[in-house]
Each structure stands twice: as C-alpha cells, then as structure tokens.
Amino acid sequence: MADVAVNQQTARWRLGSMQILVIGVVVLALSGEALRRSVIGQQDLATAATVFSGIFVQAIPFLALGVVISGLVATFVSTERLARWLPKRPSAAILTAGVGGAALPGCECGSVPVARRLYGDGAIGAAALTFMLAAPAINPVVLVATAVAFPGQPQMVAARCAASLLTAVIMGAAWAKFGRAEWITRRLPQPHHGEGSRWTVFTEAARHDFLQAASYLVIGAAAAGALRVIVPPWVYEHLAGQIVLGILTMALLAVVLSLCSEADAFVAASMTMLPLLPRLVFLVVGPAVDLKLFAMQAGMFGRAFAVRFAPATFVVATLVATGVGLLMVGSQ
C-alpha cells in the first residue's frame, strides 16, 4: 500500500507536456522586458526576433483551427466509416482518397495513423497512402494559410494544391502497381474504447496535435530567423540565380526542418530572397516527406515500408512541384 501511495504521489507531481508549456509561457511573459532590452542595439538579433515573431504570430491562428478540427475528427469520425466510403475499384479509390483528403483538415502527424487504420481495416492500401499524402497538403486550413502567407499571389495556392494532389495520386498509383504487402511489418495499434467521454477524446487529441505541431513551428520559425541573419546575402543571390540548386536546397530543407503543413507557408513566405518556384517545392515536399514523417511511417507501417516509400515520395514530390511550378508560377 505504501508503494502504491508513493507511486500515486510521484505521478501527481510529474510534469506533463501541458504543464511544461504553461510554465514556459509564464516564464517568457515575465522575462519579456528583459528580452526586449537584450535585443535593442543588436541589429542581427533584432532582425531574427522580428522574423521569428512574425512567422509565429501569423501561423498560430491557423494551427489552432487545424488542431480543433482534427480533434473533432478524432472524436466523431471513425476510420472504419472512412474505409467503407472508399470505392472498390483501385483507380477510383485512389482519386477519391486524394480529393477526399481536402475534407479532413489537420497536419501530416494526424494523417499517418488514419492512413494506417484505413490500410489495416481492409481498405485499398494505395488509397490509404494517397489519403496520407493529400490530406495534410490540400485541406482548407492549409490552403487558406498559404493564401494569407502569399497575399496577392493566388497562383501559389493553386500550384501547391495541384502539385500536392498530383504527388499523392502518383504515389498511390505507384504503390498499387509496385507495392508489396510484406513491406508492412507493423501491426495495427488496437483502439482503446471506453476510456473517457467525447470531450476527453477531443481535448486530448487537440492538445497532443497542438503541442506536436507547435514545437515544430517554433523550430522552423527559429531556423528561418537564423537563416535570415547567418547566411550571407550572396548565398541567396547565388541560389536565386541557380534555379536547380535552389530547388534541391529547398527540397532538402523541407525534409530537415520537418514543419507542420499548417504553418510552413509562413516560413516559406519569409524567404523573400528566393524565387517562388523553390519555395513552392518547399511547400509540396514538406507535407509529403520529412524526418518526423519518416519516423512515424517506420513506427506505424514498418521500416521496410519507410525506407522505400519516403525516398520515392521525395523524388516524385520534387519533380512534380518543379513541373507544376514552371507551368503556374514560372521560374520567378
């Protein structure tokens, strides 16, 4: 009994992610004046802080909206029902899953578990993977965020939507033709029923998605601010003049930064020293393949799947984004 009491007391005082977030916000609020004074007089630090703040403040409303909607989906929409909605024909199922991704706002972190459930529940595997790539890239929250980040440039929104959807459909068709069931080595996690009310499910899903996505947003915003002041201007001028090099650099940067799709447009928009085409590649590649997605795919589907699917997705997304970008935004 004494051990149980000690364990309960320890669990009561253990800091969770929400408590850490609250403590961090309070500490930052109390130290705001000191931080402001430290920035004054240091031009580079002030520039980096301005870029960071601008990206974060612009992105937070869309991030919050996205996690609220993803929480509602987790609460009221079962993956079994989604699987029943898919047509039986592979080609029709792939197209339906691609277009249907627009109906489920959320980031790529949420699309991987849903796609695994669809795949494991007997839905056509190619359609499940198409949905996994399309949902975080063409949903309304992401497209509206892109429009806000690139005001007066509707071609960026249209190009992102078209390139992302085409990437998802191509990868779905490729899996239908070349994919192997034995590459899926991870068993489907079992759902836990009756663990709480719908309100509990909603709050936990929204809290998890917000903390997960916001952490990557902070990293991305900080990286954008650092890149603005650390990288010499001649590097950006060189990338702007070498369009192929700029495309490859932004594609690799999207993989490394691992940003949330609901916030990456603001990071791309801040890189005004680069043409639109490399930034479009950044926006298409990021939601399709990055380091966190590779880890999640390996955990949900298996390493044999991830080491094949992720590199192929990177190549397809880069080529498709480049082709669509040349047609819709040019090399500007």
Side-chain angles (χ1 to χ4, degrees):
M1 293 296 292
D3 292 339
V4 173
V6 170
N7 290 335
Q8 291 177 344
Q9 186 70 17
T10 302
R12 186 179 299 116
W13 289 102
R14 183 178 299 160
L15 290 177
S17 56
M18 181 58 71
Q19 288 81 4
I20 294 175
L21 174 64
V22 172
I23 292 173
V25 171
V26 171
V27 170
L28 289 174
L30 295 177
S31 58
E33 183 60 27
L35 291 175
R36 187 186 68 83
R37 288 197 301 267
S38 66
V39 170
I40 295 176
Q42 301 187 39
Q43 185 61 39
D44 289 345
L45 187 57
T47 300
T50 301
V51 172
F52 174 88
S53 300
I55 294 173
F56 197 81
V57 170
Q58 281 186 300
I60 277 295
F62 297 97
L63 187 59
L65 177 60
V67 300
V68 167
I69 296 176
S70 67
L72 292 173
V73 169
T75 305
F76 296 104
V77 181
S78 68
T79 52
E80 290 80 6
R81 181 177 300 174
L82 292 176
R84 290 196 299 268
W85 289 343
L86 287 175
K88 299 303 181 184
R89 292 178 55 193
S91 58
I94 290 171
L95 290 175
T96 301
V99 176
L104 292 177
C107 70
E108 58 271 26
C109 299
S111 67
V112 176
V114 173
R116 181 64 185 94
R117 175 67 60 182
L118 291 173
Y119 195 103
D121 282 348
I124 300 172
L129 299 180
T130 303
F131 170 85
M132 181 178 71
L133 296 178
I138 67 170
N139 69 70
V141 175
V142 169
L143 296 182
V144 171
T146 305
V148 173
F150 291 90
Q153 296 173 321
Q155 70 273 21
M156 282 293 289
V157 181
R160 180 178 192 178
C161 181
S164 297
L165 179 58
L166 187 56
T167 297
V169 171
I170 290 175
M171 288 304 301
W175 179 263
K177 185 173 180 62
F178 303 108
R180 299 289 182 269
E182 56 267 25
W183 295 343
I184 310 297
T185 57
R186 292 283 187 178
R187 288 187 292 180
L188 187 68
Q190 296 299 316
H192 301 284
H193 300 289
E195 291 190 348
S197 65
R198 285 182 172 180
W199 173 250
T200 301
V201 174
F202 167 77
T203 54
E204 285 301 308
R207 180 190 65 84
H208 174 271
D209 289 352
F210 179 80
L211 294 176
Q212 187 89 350
S215 62
Y216 290 106
L217 172 60
V218 170
I219 295 173
L227 289 173
R228 178 62 66 90
V229 299
I230 294 176
V231 180
W234 64 264
V235 174
Y236 295 111
E237 294 174 1
H238 183 69
L239 289 177
Q242 301 290 331
I243 195 67
V244 175
L245 182 59
I247 288 172
L248 292 176
T249 300
M250 292 299 287
L252 292 173
L253 192 62
V255 174
V256 174
L257 290 184
S258 301
L259 297 178
C260 172
S261 62
E262 294 163 358
D264 59 359
F266 299 98
V267 176
S270 71
M271 300 179 181
T272 54
M273 67 292 294
L274 293 176
L276 288 179
L277 181 56
R279 288 187 280 172
L280 174 64
V281 173
F282 177 87
L283 295 179
V284 174
V285 171
V289 54
D290 59 32
L291 294 180
K292 73 175 184 299
L293 281 177
F294 178 84
M296 292 181 68
Q297 291 172 7
M300 297 297 292
F301 290 90
R303 191 171 184 274
F305 168 85
V307 297
R308 292 171 172 85
F309 192 79
T313 303
F314 176 81
V315 173
V316 170
T318 303
L319 293 177
V320 169
T322 301
V324 172
L326 288 173
L327 291 175
M328 300 185 70
V329 304
S331 58
Q332 55 179 316

